[in-house]
Amino acid sequence: MKSFRKLISEFLRKHRTIAIGSAAVVIAALAAHGELARWVQDIDGAGRLEAVFFRTVTLPGGPVPVRRPPKETRAELDKLIANAPADAELYSLRALEAEQQLDFAAAENDWKKYTSVAADTAAARVALADFYHRRLRSNDELGLLALAAAEPPPASEQLLPYSQQRPSRIYERIFRLIEDQALPIDLGFVQYRLWIARYPKETALYARLHAYAVAKKRFDIAEETTRGYERAFPADPEFPLISRAAAASASGDVNRALALYEAAFQPLWPASLVNNYFELLKQTGSLRRFLGQARAAAASDPTSINGPARLFYYYQQQGDRAAAQRALAEFRQRKDSRKAAWTADELSTLARLYESTNNWDDAARFYYALYSRPNGTPADSERGLGGLVNILLAAPEQGVRFGSGNLTFWRDAATLDPHPGFLNGILSLILNSSDPAQRYSSENQASLAYFHRARAAELLDVFDARFPQSAQRPNLRGQLIDAYAVYGDADAVIRAGAKFLTDFPSAPNRTSVASRLADAYAQKNQTSQEFGLYEDLLKEFATKASGVPIGAQPLASAAPPRESGDGEPQAEQRAASIVRSPEYARILDRYLARLISLKRLPDALALYRREVDRNPNDPGLYERLAGFLEQNKMTAEVETVYQRAIQQFPDKTWSQKLARWYVRRKMTMQLDKLTQDVVRTFSGTDLEAYFRDAVQPGSVTPAFYLQLNRYAAQKFPHNMNFVRNLLNSYSSSPTTNPAAYEALLRKNWYYADDLRTRFFELLSRTNRLETELQTLRARAPQAADNPAAARLLAEGETWRSHFEAAGPTFLALENTYPADPSLGARASSIERSLAAFEPAKYEAALAVEAKREQADPRNTATLARIGEIEAERDRLPLAKPVWNRIAAVEPGKSEGYLEAASVFWDYFQYDD
């Protein structure tokens, strides 16, 4: 059976006119993306490289600059390198041009030379890795990337989160490469270990390596990772258990995963472990079995806490809090009925479990028993007393309930307490009162809360005296200060808050306590103390953040981020959106809010200026200051801040921010000057981002938009974005200028397919196409001498559907620029379509496609076309190996296999 494409080919041989028209469609479709290479578009029109890459030729409309063939550019670059052998940029450009000439050995040598002379070794190695990527040399690419990842991050990135630093971005690329190229998975494990070695304190990397090992069924490495985590973070019991259970489950041994949780079960597990355990039980349908085993355990060993704790968690996960507490109460009754001794761990466990259900009465009961336990250790007393204080501060409005009213336990417990703790005092009051229920009725909740807070303070003093090194102290002291603040006791907040800041300089709740203290100062109208506190805290937090407490802020733009050589957005557009010191930001915001509320705007501005002067390397402070100034209509100051930031930071987005501000303020003269400055200093890519973000049609007047794009096009005359902007301006009202439109189009139609279409539409519409083609035919331009004239002639013949006349010229042009994708597509498609009438032209089409495949071996569409050409010649045995290579380009991805399968399906090769 003949393939559909073969049938079409035979039909076209019989219908020559249709064939020619179809060829035009194919050409248009295949040449849709031809454009100058990025590095060529970024050439400064007045710089040293302009003459290297461009020379002037004559066309019927006048002289135009034309892109030199790579053979010529390499010769010109040889001259520059001879005069400047240490100039790294020249080697990279010569390497790129060698690739354009399909001289890949020379290109590799130049890329290697580039890495040896470049100032940024890591970036240069990534560039060489990019070359190996283009050449499908995955092992060489991996080796270079590994070396680049071993280099330290640039200084500009060292304050960024580890995941945003260059080494991490390179490692991410490495893992994509290993996956896409189906490289040995052991390479991935090696790179993960190196990544962890670079950032040994990042727990997320261990989790990623473990997940990678489990996904690859390398459970030995998963276990090795878990052991490494245990060595690095010995205080964390969660990850080792979760990771081992996940590995066992992934290996198919669900029973072992459950057994790991069962063996490691602790009554006071963190919530994450409990949730993971019960999620696994739910997934495996083991919840009912778990409940039965927990009940059996509680029955077989009535005085053990393990069975009741399992029942507690079971009911808690089911949302049945009453049943959960009942499991604990039944355990307590069994324990008491057997007169079994209570261990410290059992008392602590029940106290915390009751506390987790907000059962303050029973929680207090067991904390007190733990504290007053005969022969108890200091650690037991610390846990018990700390728990009691926490209860009083966590729920000061809650009365201590006594269940059925049996006070025997409390009377006994009171006699055991030799210290003037809170419960001892409150129990004395209760037991000496004739009407305890009335004393704590609903009408006296306010006095109850005050009483709790006062006794909590006394009890906390006892706690501090007995356990001065306790890690619980900062949290308990902070809770007490919160309680003082809630009930409006400003004097107590000031007294306790100031002492807290002195006693606990590194407490995690330091900022919240400082905020409470500041509020108390404000309540007492002690502004000097309040503002002095803010000043001290700002200095302290800024110092801890290495003078960059806010950090880079993201650019508010819809523009897509630019890509760097490592395939990631560049640093200035990869700005961290998270404040580096949240404590600093909160204190700064509070300070400013207070100043503004007091109508002290000059003082607020002075505060910002002091902070900027104190932390001159923090871009986030400049950004906030500019926003503050704009909000308060201090326009002159805004401009000064942005200008200072432009001088202070290499980040190009500051110019974009200032430009946007000028646009909003309609400050045309200032925007004009800024744009001229930007044009002088920005690269072509950076300038594109500037225009894309700040200078857009509609944001400024059409005339001004035209003027700004002229500045850009003068600096980068070969940048097609600025050329298109100007063409659109010249063809739109009120800046219409047909003469300028045509002059600009004549200089640039050669470099992009959409511009070429515009140009030939213009010549056709004005009836000048035939005249100019006749002039060119008389001159018979050669592709090597005048490539623009030769292409104008070839494109003109194609435009007029004279494909036989255009074919040889396109072949000559393709030979001059062998890696140009647009020329290759047009030359191949014309030869292939004409082969329907002259079969010998198949060889020419195949030769062109072979060079296209050399230039871009990752383009699987080229492999598909080569096979199709062979199939059209009834040479399927030659087509099949080519189509099979499609999947080999990225053997680790399914897309290549599907693409190859689709081609085989098109030709009815179902087995293949």
Side-chain angles (χ1 to χ4, degrees):
M1 181 181 291
K2 294 182 180 179
S3 74
F4 175 76
R5 300 186 187 199
K6 182 65 176 177
L7 293 172
I8 289 294
S9 179
E10 291 182 355
F11 176 80
L12 293 178
R13 288 194 185 99
K14 299 176 182 177
H15 299 81
R16 181 181 179 85
T17 303
I18 295 177
I20 292 175
S22 300
V25 173
V26 170
I27 292 169
L30 293 179
H33 301 290
E35 192 156 312
L36 278 174
R38 177 77 260 175
W39 72 88
V40 180
Q41 293 193 51
D42 283 346
I43 289 175
D44 187 336
R48 61 174 181 168
L49 297 176
E50 173 69 15
V52 172
F53 284 89
F54 293 89
R55 58 181 168 88
T56 301
V57 297
T58 302
L59 292 180
V64 297
V66 65
R67 168 82 154 91
R68 288 178 180 268
K71 180 179 179 180
E72 294 181 19
T73 57
R74 290 177 68 187
E76 295 298 319
L77 287 168
D78 287 344
K79 299 174 186 175
L80 292 180
I81 290 173
N83 294 324
D87 191 329
E89 180 190 19
L90 297 178
Y91 291 104
S92 67
L93 290 172
R94 192 170 69 177
L96 290 167
E97 289 300 291
E99 290 185 59
Q100 291 296 299
Q101 203 177 355
L102 307 183
D103 189 348
F104 302 112
E108 182 177 10
N109 289 334
D110 274 337
W111 282 121
K112 288 180 177 179
K113 182 64 176 178
Y114 172 64
T115 62
S116 68
V117 298
D120 189 340
T121 304
R125 283 173 170 160
V126 170
L128 177 54
D130 291 341
F131 167 75
Y132 289 136
H133 182 81
R134 292 191 291 273
R135 304 313 314 149
L136 276 179
R137 293 171 57 178
S138 302
N139 289 320
D140 292 326
E141 178 186 358
L142 177 61
L144 264 297
L145 290 175
L147 290 174
E151 297 285 341
S156 61
E157 295 184 1
Q158 289 177 356
L159 294 178
L160 292 175
Y162 86 96
S163 60
Q164 296 181 14
Q165 295 181 14
R166 182 167 64 189
S168 290
R169 301 197 308 275
I170 295 175
Y171 279 119
E172 297 283 9
R173 173 174 166 177
I174 286 173
F175 300 130
R176 289 197 302 271
L177 175 67
I178 292 172
E179 290 295 307
D180 293 348
Q181 295 299 321
L183 298 177
I185 60 173
D186 285 342
L187 295 174
F189 297 130
V190 169
Q191 296 304 317
Y192 263 117
R193 292 186 185 107
L194 292 172
W195 197 5
I196 290 174
R198 172 169 282 282
Y199 301 103
K201 298 302 181 182
E202 298 297 337
T203 58
L205 294 180
Y206 289 87
R208 286 192 54 169
L209 173 54
H210 185 274
Y212 182 74
V214 169
K216 301 301 181 185
K217 305 298 182 184
R218 289 295 303 273
F219 302 109
D220 56 330
I221 295 180
E223 175 59 25
E224 175 190 313
T225 304
T226 300
R227 288 197 297 268
Y229 185 95
E230 288 175 320
R231 290 191 296 271
F233 307 99
D236 180 7
E238 297 183 48
F239 177 79
L241 177 54
I242 292 174
S243 63
R244 287 191 172 105
S249 182
S251 69
D253 193 349
V254 178
N255 290 331
R256 179 169 174 269
L258 291 171
L260 286 169
Y261 278 113
E262 180 66 23
F265 179 82
Q266 295 292 330
L268 291 179
W269 257 359
S272 60
L273 277 178
V274 174
N275 293 336
N276 276 280
Y277 185 20
F278 276 87
E279 185 62 30
L280 182 61
L281 289 168
K282 187 186 301 182
Q283 290 174 358
T284 57
S286 304
L287 280 173
R288 186 174 297 277
R289 184 181 66 179
F290 174 86
L291 177 60
Q293 291 175 343
R295 286 173 172 164
S300 63
D301 192 354
T303 61
S304 171
I305 187 64
N306 283 334
R310 286 177 167 82
L311 289 172
F312 174 87
Y313 285 125
Y314 173 84
Y315 290 119
Q316 183 191 59
Q317 290 288 314
Q318 302 301 313
D320 191 346
R321 191 170 70 171
Q325 294 190 67
R326 185 171 63 248
L328 300 182
E330 290 172 351
F331 168 68
R332 182 181 66 197
Q333 291 172 356
R334 291 194 300 270
K335 192 90 169 173
D336 290 343
S337 66
R338 289 169 171 77
K339 300 187 182 303
W342 287 86
T343 68
D345 285 342
E346 288 172 338
L347 294 171
S348 176
T349 298
L350 262 69
R352 290 180 60 181
L353 292 178
Y354 275 123
E355 190 175 8
S356 71
T357 62
N358 295 337
N359 185 337
W360 311 112
D361 178 37
D362 285 323
R365 170 193 179 104
F366 285 99
Y367 274 131
Y368 186 81
L370 177 63
Y371 167 64
S372 57
R373 185 169 174 267
N375 302 319
T377 66
D380 297 337
S381 298
E382 178 185 346
R383 282 188 292 170
L385 194 56
L388 288 172
V389 177
N390 181 68
I391 286 177
L392 294 173
L393 294 173
E397 294 83 6
Q398 301 296 318
V400 179
R401 302 183 307 278
F402 297 100
S404 62
N406 182 358
L407 306 181
T408 304
F409 173 83
W410 295 102
R411 184 180 293 109
D412 295 340
T415 63
L416 296 173
D417 183 16
H419 306 287
F422 166 74
L423 283 182
N424 204 21
I426 195 172
L427 291 174
S428 297
L429 289 174
I430 292 172
L431 296 174
N432 291 329
S433 170
S434 60
D435 189 6
Q438 175 63 29
R439 187 176 186 88
Y440 294 102
S441 66
S442 60
E443 290 86 6
N444 293 292
Q445 288 301 303
S447 62
L448 171 63
Y450 178 83
F451 185 76
H452 277 203
R453 189 174 68 255
R455 292 299 176 259
E458 295 178 14
L459 195 59
L460 187 50
D461 288 339
V462 174
F463 185 87
D464 288 345
R466 292 197 63 191
F467 312 110
Q469 303 302 319
S470 174
Q472 298 183 62
R473 288 185 62 211
N475 182 57
L476 295 175
R477 282 290 170 187
Q479 285 182 276
L480 178 61
I481 293 169
D482 287 342
Y484 287 145
V486 168
Y487 292 100
D489 193 346
D491 291 329
V493 171
I494 291 172
R495 184 174 59 254
K499 188 174 188 304
F500 180 96
L501 296 179
T502 301
D503 293 346
F504 307 109
S506 302
N509 57 338
R510 183 175 171 79
T511 305
S512 63
V513 170
S515 299
R516 292 292 195 186
L517 178 56
D519 288 339
Y521 282 138
Q523 184 179 343
K524 303 287 286 186
N525 200 28
Q526 298 178 6
T527 54
S528 60
Q529 291 91 333
E530 178 188 1
F531 296 160
L533 171 63
Y534 290 145
E535 294 282 353
D536 291 342
L537 291 173
L538 288 176
K539 183 176 180 180
E540 174 187 329
F541 292 135
T543 301
K544 289 180 179 178
S546 304
V548 188
I550 302 296
Q553 300 299 293
L555 179 65
S557 170
R562 290 182 287 106
E563 297 278 317
S564 63
D566 57 8
E568 294 291 335
Q570 289 191 356
E572 63 266 26
Q573 288 189 305
R574 199 175 49 251
S577 59
I578 299 176
V579 173
R580 296 192 68 244
S581 175
E583 297 89 353
Y584 176 93
R586 284 196 290 270
I587 295 300
L588 179 61
D589 289 341
R590 288 179 61 87
Y591 196 175
L592 289 166
R594 280 287 290 142
L595 289 171
I596 293 171
S597 70
L598 295 173
K599 303 187 185 307
R600 293 170 57 172
L601 192 61
D603 290 338
L605 179 57
L607 167 63
Y608 257 128
R609 285 175 172 162
R610 284 198 306 275
E611 290 306 300
V612 168
D613 290 340
R614 182 185 295 162
N615 307 288
N617 296 319
D618 191 335
L621 278 173
Y622 289 81
E623 181 78 11
R624 289 187 171 213
L625 174 55
F628 173 81
L629 293 169
E630 185 168 7
Q631 184 178 9
N632 290 281
K633 298 181 172 53
M634 301 180 184
T635 55
E637 297 282 353
V638 174
E639 185 176 12
T640 301
V641 171
Y642 279 131
Q643 292 287 5
R644 180 177 172 183
I646 290 171
Q647 298 298 320
Q648 180 73 18
F649 303 106
D651 185 350
K652 301 297 192 297
T653 60
W654 285 105
S655 296
Q656 295 166 240
K657 293 170 184 175
L658 178 56
R660 293 205 319 272
W661 185 77
Y662 283 150
V663 168
R664 290 195 301 272
R665 304 288 302 174
K666 301 187 184 303
M667 300 171 68
T668 305
M669 292 179 60
Q670 292 87 341
L671 180 60
D672 184 287
K673 182 180 183 304
L674 174 65
T675 303
Q676 292 186 57
D677 293 339
V678 163
V679 166
R680 283 194 294 270
T681 58
F682 277 22
S683 69
T685 306
D686 289 331
L687 192 57
E688 282 183 35
Y690 172 85
F691 270 78
R692 187 170 54 239
D693 183 74
V695 183
Q696 300 175 346
S699 64
V700 295
T701 65
F704 191 46
Y705 182 73
L706 172 62
Q707 179 180 329
L708 296 181
N709 274 282
R710 280 175 174 164
Y711 294 150
Q714 284 176 345
K715 178 70 178 293
F716 301 106
H718 311 295
N719 187 298
M720 293 298 104
N721 285 290
F722 302 134
V723 168
R724 292 186 180 96
N725 290 347
L726 288 175
L727 289 173
N728 292 336
S729 292
Y730 289 143
S731 58
S732 304
S733 178
T735 54
T736 304
N737 189 334
Y741 177 91
E742 180 174 340
L744 183 63
L745 192 57
R746 282 188 175 276
K747 290 182 178 180
N748 292 281
W749 67 267
Y750 187 87
Y751 302 121
D753 295 314
D754 62 313
L755 302 187
R756 198 156 43 245
T757 300
R758 290 195 199 189
F759 180 58
F760 282 96
E761 286 176 348
L762 173 66
L763 292 182
S764 298
R765 186 172 65 252
T766 56
N767 298 316
R768 287 179 287 167
L769 177 58
E770 185 58 37
T771 301
E772 295 202 10
L773 291 180
Q774 287 179 358
T775 302
L776 290 172
R777 292 191 195 101
R779 296 178 183 174
Q782 299 299 307
D785 298 330
N786 192 337
R791 186 157 193 180
L792 178 56
L793 180 58
E795 296 285 359
E797 297 292 7
T798 303
W799 189 267
R800 298 169 69 248
S801 296
H802 294 173
F803 300 104
E804 297 92 335
T809 305
F810 272 120
L811 285 175
L813 285 165
E814 186 275 336
N815 192 56
T816 305
Y817 300 91
D820 186 302
S822 175
L823 283 171
R826 295 175 79 75
S828 172
S829 59
I830 286 178
E831 295 301 304
R832 183 179 172 186
S833 63
L834 293 175
F837 316 103
E838 300 179 53
K841 290 189 176 292
Y842 278 126
E843 293 298 334
L846 281 171
V848 173
E849 293 294 345
K851 283 190 280 188
R852 295 183 70 191
E853 197 264 333
Q854 268 189 288
D856 186 8
R858 288 188 166 274
N859 190 339
T860 56
T862 304
L863 295 173
R865 282 192 300 273
I866 292 174
E868 289 166 354
I869 293 172
E870 294 287 12
E872 288 169 10
R873 303 174 69 188
D874 294 323
R875 301 203 302 191
L876 270 175
L878 294 180
K880 290 181 179 182
V882 180
W883 289 333
N884 281 325
R885 285 164 52 198
I886 292 174
V889 172
E890 288 182 322
K893 298 174 70 174
S894 62
E895 288 85 346
Y897 297 93
L898 292 172
E899 183 180 355
S902 298
V903 177
F904 279 117
W905 184 88
D906 281 348
Y907 287 87
F908 309 118
Q909 305 302 303
Y910 301 124
D911 290 341
D912 293 286

